[in-house]
Amino acid sequence: MPFDEELVQSVLKNADIVKIISSYLNVTKKGKNYVAVCPFHDDTNPSLTINPEKQIFKCFVCGTGGTAISFVQKYEHISFMEALKKVAELSGYHDPRLENVTKVKKVDTTKAPLYKCLSDLTLYYQYALNTPEGKEGLNYFEKRHLDSSMRSKYLLGYAFQDGKATIQFLQSKGHSLKTIEDVGIAAMVGGAYSDKNQGRVIFPICDQEGHVIGYSARRLKDGPEAKYVNSPETKLFHKSNVLYNYHIAKEKARINGYIYVCEGFMDVFALAKIGIDSAVAIMGTSLTNEHIEMLRNLNVEIRLCLDGDLPGQTAMMKASKQLASAGLNCRIVDNGNSPKDPDEILNQDGSEALKNYLNNLTNRVDFTLNYYRNSNPLKTNEQKRELVKQFIPTLLSIRSALDLDNYLRKLSATTGYDVESLRQLVEKARLNKVKNEDPAVAMREFHPERKLLRRLELAERELLYQMINNPEAVIYYERKVEGFYDEIYRQIANFIIDYATEHKDFLPLDLMTALEASDVENKEDLLQEMTNLFLENNHPKDCTEQLLDNLCTSIAQEKEKIFEDDVLEQSLEGKDPLEQARILAEYHRRKMKKM
């Protein structure tokens, strides 16, 4: 329709630019204006300013600016009139002159034959699934609980064993061999072209508009060939900018206010079965910058839901960091250390179990701490220091003093390092960052374990040394110590006790030899620690009863302190700041009274 200046003015008069841009971006008030991260360049700090008085926006980095209409036009890559209609819709403004505005999509004439070829091929695959030969593929889908409605919704199909017949079908529909090659289907077999997907079930992959651009084809029988064959990079298909199911999920996500990012299409299917269509899959690849921009365009909460195994959790760790760096709102499905994926949970435990699983969300900081805690054995000081080092960037990203205090306590409970030592480390790392230095350099002077060595660890290490060298110390340990706090020390002590039951008199070297010949778990860790003890020369020469009594008493007292701190940590968990302050005051009152 022709340009109507009066119509444009009417739409803008009834539009609130802050509301319009807030539909796409997270907007924050700053003085009289509003600010947001600019979507038109690689922005990390909010550089886009919105002036509600003048009803304009401006990025002071890349220079992009204009009205609400031009923002929508640039953001959605649509025509001016389409953007005008969109602004009116977002503003609740109605005008009959806008009814004739239709979406005009720019068509790349070189891509049109490729889209048509894949459209015809997808219908052919769907037809093949319902033939006698396709029965095996149909059985596979039914075994995965994909009924006819699901198969139709996701265009699932089957490729005939006769791959040459597929090529002949496409040629009969008027597609040239070059087009068939260009969509990534044709393979030269025995001097003739054949379908790369032959004999497999077909999962079509669509672009943002719902056009098929490629396939993932799964074998039906065990064999040496690859389990999945995916379309190669073509003019239409680029794996780096494809999120499976995005064309369906994008509108549902804007309604729901969130989108789940899963591992593969079976997870997407599982969520769809329980009524959640706002889910996409990255299909086994890493999250790319293109994926992040696609998610940013939705302006909703992103919920990461990758596999529960270590590779999946590592990928989730990396993805959560990427999303945080991009300034996107993200939460993570807490799998409770379960290796099951959504499809397995649905099939084995039912829909309610899957809903509960998907709603068990945690923030990035908690997930990061749990990830490092679960992927790191934390049996030595070096391992504990490494966890702290890895967690520093996360701690530096926390702005709330209360949240920081909360996570310092959690890190303290995990590592055994006292809260104040960790707080001092964070402040030093923050200062280094301000000076444009590596925050991790602060770790060089971070040695809170020395404080522990003067307390519980020193007492346990001394008693363990005496147990290695004196059978009398073994008897004291069994009578007065309910196990060492340090896991490695405890395992060595248990080994010594087992050995001492059969060898009343033994030499340290006997223990070492017996340990080397054993098949105990963590043998190398135990040998390393025992060797360190062998080489130390700063221990009392005489193993007296007084020494053993003092060591056992010290161990009991320090373990009691740790137990009290653990109880305090648990009592503070989930409480509001006032309640936490009351609990802390009561704790310190009891402590002073006890002293």
Side-chain angles (χ1 to χ4, degrees):
M1 64 179 290
F3 176 78
D4 187 331
E5 186 175 353
E6 192 273 328
L7 174 62
V8 174
Q9 291 174 350
S10 296
V11 170
L12 287 177
K13 183 179 178 180
N14 288 278
D16 178 354
I17 192 169
V18 176
K19 180 182 176 182
I20 300 301
I21 295 181
S22 295
S23 301
Y24 297 89
L25 307 177
N26 293 320
V27 170
T28 305
K29 196 172 192 312
K30 188 175 182 181
K32 293 182 179 180
N33 296 327
Y34 292 79
V35 295
V37 173
C38 180
F40 306 119
H41 76 281
D42 188 13
D43 193 14
T44 54
N45 296 314
S47 60
L48 185 140
T49 297
I50 308 162
N51 187 313
E53 183 183 354
K54 296 182 179 180
Q55 288 291 300
I56 61 171
F57 77 95
K58 173 73 176 180
C59 176
F60 290 97
V61 174
C62 69
T64 305
T67 66
I69 298 171
S70 56
F71 176 88
V72 172
Q73 182 181 8
K74 290 179 172 66
Y75 193 94
E76 293 206 13
H77 304 288
I78 54 181
S79 71
F80 180 86
M81 293 306 296
E82 289 166 351
L84 179 70
K85 184 177 181 179
K86 185 75 173 180
V87 170
E89 290 172 354
L90 291 171
S91 305
Y93 177 71
H94 303 284
D95 190 302
R97 289 174 290 181
L98 293 169
E99 292 177 3
N100 296 325
V101 177
T102 57
K103 189 169 184 179
V104 179
K105 184 173 177 62
K106 293 180 181 179
V107 178
D108 185 339
T109 55
T110 63
K111 291 182 179 180
L114 307 182
Y115 283 123
K116 183 65 171 65
C117 179
L118 289 173
S119 176
D120 288 340
L121 180 56
T122 302
L123 290 172
Y124 184 69
Y125 284 152
Q126 289 179 287
Y127 158 76
L129 184 65
N130 296 291
T131 64
E133 184 187 325
K135 180 66 176 174
E136 189 177 3
L138 196 61
N139 290 340
Y140 169 80
F141 286 133
E142 290 176 347
K143 191 180 296 183
R144 300 304 298 262
H145 308 289
L146 297 170
D147 59 21
S148 59
S149 63
M150 290 287 287
R151 297 194 297 270
S152 176
K153 178 179 181 178
Y154 294 102
L155 312 176
L156 307 184
Y158 169 77
F160 283 121
Q161 287 281 358
D162 186 355
K164 295 177 183 177
T166 301
I167 306 301
Q168 291 169 0
F169 165 78
L170 290 175
Q171 287 181 303
S172 72
K173 299 291 287 184
H175 302 292
S176 67
L177 277 176
K178 183 179 185 309
T179 297
I180 299 170
E181 283 185 286
D182 287 346
V183 296
I185 292 300
M188 183 63 72
V189 178
Y193 283 108
S194 185
D195 184 358
K196 290 181 180 180
N197 299 327
Q198 61 188 37
R200 295 170 176 264
V201 286
I202 303 298
F203 299 87
I205 301 167
C206 298
D207 63 13
Q208 298 184 34
E209 304 302 323
H211 302 124
V212 176
I213 54 175
Y215 303 98
S216 183
R218 189 194 189 283
R219 72 180 185 210
L220 290 171
K221 298 177 181 178
D222 292 335
E225 67 274 10
K227 189 174 183 178
Y228 284 93
V229 171
N230 296 320
S231 290
E233 292 282 310
T234 68
K235 192 168 186 178
L236 299 182
F237 182 74
H238 303 285
K239 199 170 185 179
S240 63
N241 59 15
V242 171
L243 287 172
Y244 183 80
N245 197 49
Y246 187 87
H247 64 294
I248 293 176
K250 60 183 181 180
E251 294 304 326
K252 298 292 184 180
R254 289 188 175 117
I255 295 171
N256 296 338
Y258 60 79
I259 188 164
Y260 285 94
V261 177
C262 304
E263 192 89 22
F265 31 73
M266 284 300 175
D267 298 328
V268 170
F269 298 160
L271 270 63
K273 290 174 190 175
I274 62 170
I276 300 176
D277 279 323
S278 52
V280 295
I282 55 177
M283 299 173 57
T285 187
S286 298
L287 203 63
T288 66
N289 291 332
E290 290 83 0
H291 293 153
I292 291 173
E293 287 309 307
M294 291 169 69
L295 295 171
R296 187 197 299 280
N297 289 343
L298 300 176
N299 194 30
V300 298
E301 178 184 82
I302 299 160
R303 299 179 175 182
L304 289 177
C305 183
L306 305 186
D307 286 354
D309 55 16
L310 184 57
Q313 294 296 286
T314 302
M316 197 131 68
M317 183 71 201
K318 180 181 177 182
S320 66
K321 185 176 180 180
Q322 289 175 280
L323 292 170
S325 298
L328 299 185
N329 182 20
C330 168
R331 285 199 290 170
I332 298 159
V333 174
D334 185 354
N335 68 352
N337 298 325
S338 170
K340 291 182 181 179
D341 58 36
D343 186 50
E344 291 172 320
I345 294 172
L346 178 62
N347 293 329
Q348 296 175 20
D349 306 316
S351 59
E352 284 304 313
L354 180 55
K355 289 176 183 177
N356 292 336
Y357 170 80
L358 294 170
N359 288 322
N360 187 22
L361 297 162
T362 186
N363 61 51
R364 177 174 172 261
V365 181
D366 277 322
F367 172 78
T368 302
L369 181 56
N370 289 334
Y371 170 82
Y372 286 137
R373 186 161 49 199
N374 294 332
S375 62
N376 195 326
L378 301 181
K379 294 174 182 176
T380 65
N381 284 320
E382 288 74 15
Q383 291 166 339
K384 294 173 184 177
R385 281 171 55 82
E386 182 60 26
L387 185 150
V388 174
K389 180 180 178 181
Q390 292 172 327
F391 203 55
I392 283 179
T394 304
L395 292 172
L396 291 176
S397 69
I398 300 173
R399 303 196 177 200
S400 166
L402 286 175
D403 288 343
L404 178 60
D405 187 69
N406 180 32
Y407 288 112
L408 285 173
R409 290 183 180 280
K410 289 184 178 183
L411 186 59
S412 173
T414 300
T415 61
Y417 298 149
D418 67 277
V419 174
E420 286 311 311
S421 295
L422 293 168
R423 194 187 306 280
Q424 291 170 16
L425 170 66
V426 172
E427 290 308 315
K428 188 158 189 175
R430 198 184 303 280
L431 184 61
N432 287 354
K433 188 175 182 181
V434 171
K435 295 178 180 178
N436 290 322
E437 297 174 359
D438 185 358
V441 172
M443 285 296 298
R444 294 176 185 172
E445 299 176 14
F446 178 68
H447 296 286
E449 66 272 14
R450 293 173 183 168
K451 198 170 185 179
L452 290 175
L453 285 171
R454 295 195 298 270
R455 298 173 183 169
L456 178 61
E457 188 172 303
L458 178 58
E460 289 190 342
R461 192 173 185 82
E462 184 60 51
L463 182 54
L464 184 60
Y465 176 86
Q466 297 301 335
M467 289 174 69
I468 290 172
N469 290 277
N470 300 282
E472 296 86 357
V474 179
I475 298 172
Y476 261 78
Y477 176 84
E478 288 187 279
R479 287 179 180 173
K480 298 190 175 185
V481 180
E482 296 179 356
F484 286 138
Y485 183 80
D486 187 287
E487 187 176 350
I488 293 289
Y489 293 174
R490 186 169 62 251
Q491 291 179 12
I492 295 175
N494 291 340
F495 181 82
I496 294 172
I497 291 170
D498 291 341
Y499 187 80
T501 56
E502 298 179 7
H503 308 82
K504 290 187 177 180
D505 295 315
F506 57 83
L507 297 173
L509 193 58
D510 297 333
L511 280 173
M512 178 72 77
T513 305
L515 181 58
E516 289 175 336
S518 72
D519 57 355
V520 299
E521 191 176 358
N522 300 330
K523 180 169 71 174
E524 292 305 316
D525 291 335
L526 305 189
L527 284 170
Q528 182 179 353
E529 200 61 55
M530 191 179 285
T531 303
N532 292 338
L533 283 163
F534 273 35
L535 298 173
E536 292 175 358
N537 55 13
N538 57 341
H539 297 273
K541 293 181 180 180
D542 298 325
C543 180
T544 64
E545 288 186 8
Q546 184 66 47
L547 172 64
L548 295 175
D549 278 333
N550 290 342
L551 291 174
C552 293
T553 300
S554 296
I555 290 170
Q557 290 175 345
E558 295 302 324
K559 285 170 70 175
E560 183 180 2
K561 290 179 184 177
I562 291 175
F563 174 75
E564 290 176 352
D565 288 343
D566 287 344
V567 172
L568 175 64
E569 174 68 28
Q570 291 174 14
S571 66
L572 292 172
E573 188 75 31
K575 302 292 193 304
D576 61 58
L578 287 176
E579 181 64 6
Q580 288 181 346
R582 187 195 66 76
I583 293 171
L584 286 170
E586 178 63 18
Y587 171 77
H588 289 303
R589 186 188 65 77
R590 290 198 308 268
K591 197 169 182 180
M592 292 299 294
K593 185 177 179 180
K594 188 174 181 181
M595 292 174 62

